[in-house]
Amino acid sequence: MTQHYIPYCGVAPTPGSIKWNFDPVLLAILAAGACAYALAFWILKPSERAKLSLHPIAFAAGWIFLVAAFISPLCNLGVALFSARIGQHMVLALIAAPLLVIGGADILVARAFGRHGRRLTQSEIIAAPLLFALALWLWHMPAPYDAALHSHVVYWLMEISLLLTSVLLWRCLLRDLSRNPGAALAASLFTALQMTGIGALLAFAPRALFTVHFTTTQAFGLSPLEDQQLGGLIMWLPFGLILTIHVIGAIAATMRNAEQRPADFYRSVSR
């Protein structure tokens, strides 16, 4: 990769020159987001917090992983290795996003716009997995991915869209699990299919696809193709495992609902 333009996370490092990212603007934005959550949580009555199922410890854990994804050496390493960039995206999509949802960040944002926080509309249930799949495929295609390392604006479009669609996805997978487990199950299976498809495509591609990494992987003992294959496996296997666990939970919730309906019907008739 030519260095006429320096990517947001810095120049492609070697094993001895990997750097942390202490961008003051980024740190200020992350701190402001944490403060906004804390303030919104603090002004709610305890009864309302319990009703909304806000879990500040889960939010704090998700925020720590979010911060780590952007300021840790993973950011700089992603300039050299496609697999590291995939690792960063998996931290956002698999760890930070669900923890933020469990923490209730999505609920507080929804309430800030005057909407009920917990209940999802039918359009949201349908749109969430579709938007996540669109972002996933778009930003892991060669041209958009390469563009993200040649433009700060495109880079942040990639990262923010992946994070937001991940939150929307997990909002659908977690918020609707007990009330509408069938929809959550369908979203989970659809997402698993997308992750399997793109992960397999990257892992079994006969040649390297990302020109920005053609000259940056050798310092780490990997060819561009090996780095790409590793990235495909990182995307494929962890997400597959987590979604499998979610599918099992969704199936169990569906079975409980199916058992509950006859019981509810019998009680209503016997009154």
Side-chain angles (χ1 to χ4, degrees):
M1 181 178 65
T2 62
Q3 295 300 330
H4 299 300
Y5 176 85
I6 299 177
Y8 170 78
C9 293
V11 298
T14 60
S17 65
I18 303 173
K19 299 178 180 180
W20 289 70
N21 174 30
F22 294 115
D23 176 7
V25 176
L26 173 64
L27 293 176
I29 292 172
L30 291 171
C35 291
Y37 176 91
L39 178 61
F41 182 84
W42 180 76
I43 63 177
L44 291 175
K45 297 179 180 179
S47 59
E48 194 170 7
R49 295 174 194 165
K51 180 181 178 181
L52 294 175
S53 299
L54 302 182
H55 302 286
I57 294 177
F59 174 86
W63 204 253
I64 289 171
F65 278 105
L66 179 64
V67 171
F70 290 117
I71 73 169
S72 76
L74 195 58
C75 179
N76 186 221
L77 188 59
V79 181
L81 297 177
F82 175 76
S83 54
R85 184 66 66 203
I86 293 297
Q88 182 194 43
H89 292 168
M90 293 303 99
V91 170
L92 294 177
L94 289 181
I95 305 176
L99 285 172
L100 292 175
V101 170
I102 294 171
D106 62 310
I107 292 177
L108 294 178
V109 170
R111 285 171 63 86
F113 286 93
R115 296 190 51 208
H116 191 287
R118 290 185 58 85
R119 189 173 297 276
L120 276 70
T121 65
Q122 190 67 31
S123 60
E124 287 177 319
I125 295 171
I126 295 173
L130 293 176
L131 289 173
F132 177 77
L134 176 62
L136 188 74
W137 281 91
L138 172 66
W139 294 117
H140 297 97
M141 294 175 64
Y145 179 89
D146 288 358
L149 292 187
H150 288 93
S151 166
H152 285 26
V153 172
V154 178
Y155 172 81
W156 282 112
L157 283 175
M158 174 177 71
E159 301 294 356
I160 293 172
S161 62
L162 285 170
L163 176 62
L164 290 181
T165 56
S166 296
V167 169
L168 290 175
L169 174 67
W170 284 104
R171 177 172 163 81
C172 175
L173 296 183
L174 297 176
R175 295 270 173 244
D176 232 36
L177 185 57
S178 60
R179 185 174 63 88
N180 192 359
L185 176 60
S188 188
L189 290 172
F190 175 79
T191 304
L193 181 62
Q194 305 308 309
M195 299 301 296
T196 299
I198 193 169
L201 180 64
L202 293 170
F204 295 112
R207 61 183 179 84
L209 301 173
F210 303 95
T211 58
V212 289
H213 295 305
F214 280 1
T215 62
T216 62
T217 65
Q218 288 82 359
F220 296 89
L222 295 170
S223 70
L225 181 58
E226 290 170 339
D227 175 44
Q228 178 180 295
Q229 291 169 338
L230 178 59
L233 291 176
I234 291 173
M235 180 180 292
W236 187 353
L237 298 180
F239 218 119
L241 175 61
I242 289 178
L243 287 177
T244 297
I245 295 172
H246 180 270
V247 165
I248 293 173
I251 291 174
T254 302
M255 294 176 66
R256 285 196 299 270
N257 279 13
E259 292 173 355
Q260 187 66 29
R261 289 192 190 99
D264 292 343
F265 176 76
Y266 177 77
R267 282 195 294 269
S268 65
V269 171
S270 60
R271 287 174 182 172

